[in-house]
Amino acid sequence: MIHMVKLCVGVSSFEELESYRDERAHWWGADYGEDVHVHRTRMMPKRGAEMEGQGSIYWVIAGAIVCRQVIQRLASYTDAEGKNYCDIIMSPELIRTIPYPKRPFQGWRYLQPKDAPPDIAANDAENSVEIAAELARLGLL
């Protein structure tokens, strides 16, 4: 199993990403007829088979990994001009993680499970996020 890390471009907070969940699949006409979220990227991951149904996409927002979504499957998509893309089909649930600092990069990066930030329990989310964000800002996390 392997995970993916991706910048959440144009989104400034976890709450803003949450607000987009219901419309994301329709931005590109990627309606898979089920309760999923879709992110379209240019290239198909070479290690896609290691992600489907077991890995997650970890979202980097404002310089830190702050949440993840389970990757259900990957699908090829070709637009009207013949350009090929990869649709990352994810569970709609956003799972908060302990914030881990991450510098900007292009495309995506693979993430080994041992290097993935741990999830934050739902009942601890508010306090844990604030504390972890401060520790990360201080370079202690």
Side-chain angles (χ1 to χ4, degrees):
M1 173 184 49
I2 193 108
H3 301 296
M4 175 185 284
V5 179
K6 188 127 176 64
L7 295 180
C8 200
V9 178
V11 174
S12 61
S13 68
F14 174 84
E15 293 75 20
E16 186 177 351
L17 178 59
E18 262 188 326
S19 74
Y20 288 136
R21 285 191 300 182
D22 294 334
E23 34 183 285
R24 267 184 25 211
H26 305 287
W27 285 354
W28 307 285
D31 188 355
Y32 287 89
E34 55 195 271
D35 189 20
V36 295
H37 293 146
V38 179
H39 178 75
R40 182 164 290 161
T41 189
R42 186 70 175 96
M43 304 297 290
M44 180 68 77
K46 289 180 174 45
R47 298 179 71 179
E50 295 176 67
M51 287 187 265
E52 290 182 303
Q54 50 192 344
S56 291
I57 185 166
Y58 283 78
W59 291 110
V60 177
I61 300 173
I65 297 172
V66 298
C67 64
R68 69 182 179 91
Q69 285 180 279
V70 175
I71 298 171
Q72 295 181 351
R73 65 186 185 281
L74 305 173
S76 296
Y77 176 83
T78 304
D79 71 9
E81 297 171 3
K83 289 184 184 173
N84 294 322
Y85 295 90
C86 171
D87 282 354
I88 303 169
I89 302 163
M90 304 167 287
S91 166
E93 180 184 12
L94 289 169
I95 303 164
R96 281 189 181 264
T97 64
I98 291 178
Y100 271 35
K102 190 74 175 167
R103 291 182 174 205
F105 56 90
Q106 289 188 349
W108 70 77
R109 298 290 182 266
Y110 293 113
L111 179 65
Q112 295 292 333
K114 67 180 176 55
D115 298 324
D119 294 348
I120 296 175
N123 57 346
D124 293 336
E126 191 171 320
N127 291 332
S128 296
V129 169
E130 290 173 12
I131 292 167
E134 183 62 17
L135 289 172
R137 187 186 68 73
L138 295 169
L140 300 172
L141 184 60

